Every structure is written in C-alpha cells, then in structure tokens.
Amino acid sequence: MKDLRAVFFDFDGTLVDSERFYFEAWKPILKQHFAVDLDFETWIQYFAGHTLARNILTMKELWGVDVKEEFMWKSTRENYANQDMLTIPLMPHARELIDFLMERDIQMGLVTSNFRPTVERMLEHYGLLQHFSWFVTREDVVNPKPNPTCYQKALLLSGFDTSEVVAVEDTATGSRAAYDAGLTCIAVTKQKAERDRLDFVDHLLFDLKEVNDLLR
C-alpha cells in the first residue's frame, strides 16, 4: 500500500490476546449470581468487542438477566485485578508488525473501547506506549463502536485522509465502525463466529503476520 501513512489499531483481541482473560473474569460471576454457564464460543459470538453496557443488554436478551451496570462494573473489575492484566500477552506477530511500521515511518494510533489508563499501563508494560501517536479510548466518545465516531475522531487527530489510513480490527463491531468511517479495514481473527460476520471488510486475515505481508 504505497500511499499508507498511518495504521489505526484496535486493542483487545487485535494487539493483545485478551479475550480469554475477559471471559475467565466474567464466567464465575455469571455462574455464581445468575446460574449461567458461559462458554468461550458464546463469549466470542455475543460479547467480545462490546462495551459493558451493551453486554448487560445482551445478558438480558439471552438469559433474561436483569442486572445493574454498577454491579457488573465492580464485579468484573475485581476479577480483572485478581487475575492481573499485565499477564495478558501480545498477539502473535504484534511486535514484528509494529517494528515494521516504525521502520517505514508509518504512524500508529489506537482506537479502542477500553479505557485509557488500562491501555497506557499495558502498552507501557510491553514497551510500546511511545510508538503510538494518537489515542481514542472509551472516555473520548459518547457512542462507542460500532458507531464510526471513534475513527472519525482518530482521523481528525491524525490529520490524514481516509485514503492514507488503514484500520486493523478483530470483530465485526469494530470493523463496522472503521468501515463506516470510510477507512480501509483489515479484520484479523481465527474465530469462525466473527469471520462469518466480516464479509464486508476489505481484507479478512488470520493473524498479524498476514497483515505485515499485506502492508509491505
């Protein structure tokens, strides 16, 4: 992609292998308080890539669970803290891709539904924080993904045109936000439930090595 000036990355499930971490935090809460036996496939199909508020609505739709956001916020944060988020690994080939983009002087931004303190802490832990020029996090938008506002805001911060930027995502939720903002969207996932929903993206790949090869 000869005109490429920047790459906007999603965070969870795209740069860091965090979906099983979140699943393991949610599973005992649903089992103990609501008698719901959550499995990983259901997590990926209905919960991955969504905000807490959206996931609470999904719980009601799937299982008739009616719970306040405050309770789930407190319960999930306690479990996240007990598990230690700094144990979450980078996705395979993430560091190599970032190194390649740096070598080519292609700038990087992060567009995520996660919160900025969490993202900054984890990127600092990986030694990658300084490589990202722009951040759009959950605090920065009223309407999160799949609303395109987050990517529109990232474009304004970067000063680049949509033709000069690609987005890398792992879910249909995030990919829809990027696509509707007018960006070339690369979706990277091995999960069949997600791949079945990603027929609208420009490129559907299996891992970040394939992204590296595509951008060369």
Side-chain angles (χ1 to χ4, degrees):
M1 295 185 179
K2 62 180 181 178
D3 297 325
L4 183 63
R5 303 287 301 280
V7 176
F8 294 159
F9 286 100
D10 173 51
F11 190 62
D12 291 294
T14 300
L15 283 181
V16 297
D17 195 2
S18 55
E19 289 304 341
R20 191 163 288 276
F21 174 91
Y22 293 124
F23 164 72
E24 294 291 350
W26 278 66
K27 182 178 174 66
I29 297 169
L30 296 187
K31 184 70 171 179
Q32 178 181 351
H33 295 281
F34 310 110
V36 171
D37 192 9
L38 179 67
D39 59 74
F40 189 61
E41 290 71 24
T42 301
W43 172 264
I44 291 296
Q45 184 169 359
Y46 295 104
F47 294 90
H50 293 289
T51 62
L52 176 62
R54 181 67 188 90
N55 284 343
I56 288 172
L57 288 176
T58 299
M59 290 166 62
K60 187 168 186 178
E61 292 167 1
L62 290 180
W63 306 302
V65 170
D66 195 0
V67 60
K68 293 186 179 298
E69 185 170 333
E70 181 182 359
F71 172 81
M72 289 304 297
W73 172 270
K74 181 179 178 181
S75 300
T76 54
R77 265 58 195 175
E78 286 177 354
N79 283 3
Y80 296 161
N82 290 336
Q83 292 178 208
D84 186 4
M85 298 191 81
L86 296 183
T87 63
I88 297 172
L90 288 171
M91 292 296 288
H93 312 292
R95 194 175 294 277
E96 294 91 332
L97 176 56
I98 289 171
D99 288 344
F100 164 74
L101 296 174
M102 291 174 56
E103 290 169 5
R104 296 295 179 92
D105 198 27
I106 296 170
Q107 298 186 56
M108 288 171 275
L110 204 69
V111 182
T112 175
S113 295
N114 209 324
F115 291 88
R116 185 152 185 164
T118 299
V119 168
E120 289 187 342
R121 181 170 178 247
M122 294 176 72
L123 286 176
E124 182 66 34
H125 173 70
Y126 304 131
L128 298 175
L129 181 61
Q130 71 274 18
H131 301 322
F132 288 83
S133 301
W134 319 282
F135 292 84
V136 178
T137 57
R138 183 66 186 88
E139 301 94 325
D140 298 319
V141 294
V142 175
N143 298 307
K145 301 172 184 179
N147 188 289
T149 305
C150 53
Y151 277 105
Q152 292 166 345
K153 187 176 182 70
L155 280 167
L156 287 174
L157 289 172
S158 72
F160 293 130
D161 185 79
T162 54
S163 64
E164 300 174 303
V165 181
V166 300
V168 182
E169 282 276 356
D170 72 303
T171 66
T173 303
S175 295
R176 177 56 65 185
Y179 186 85
D180 287 352
L183 295 176
T184 296
C185 184
I186 303 171
V188 184
T189 180
K190 296 179 180 179
Q191 302 294 336
K192 185 179 185 304
E194 282 297 346
R195 294 182 70 85
D196 289 346
R197 292 193 287 249
L198 285 163
D199 58 341
F200 62 91
V201 299
D202 298 282
H203 304 278
L204 179 55
L205 306 178
F206 282 100
D207 60 33
L208 294 178
K209 183 180 184 304
E210 291 187 350
V211 178
N212 201 334
D213 294 340
L214 176 68
L215 297 183
R216 288 184 180 275

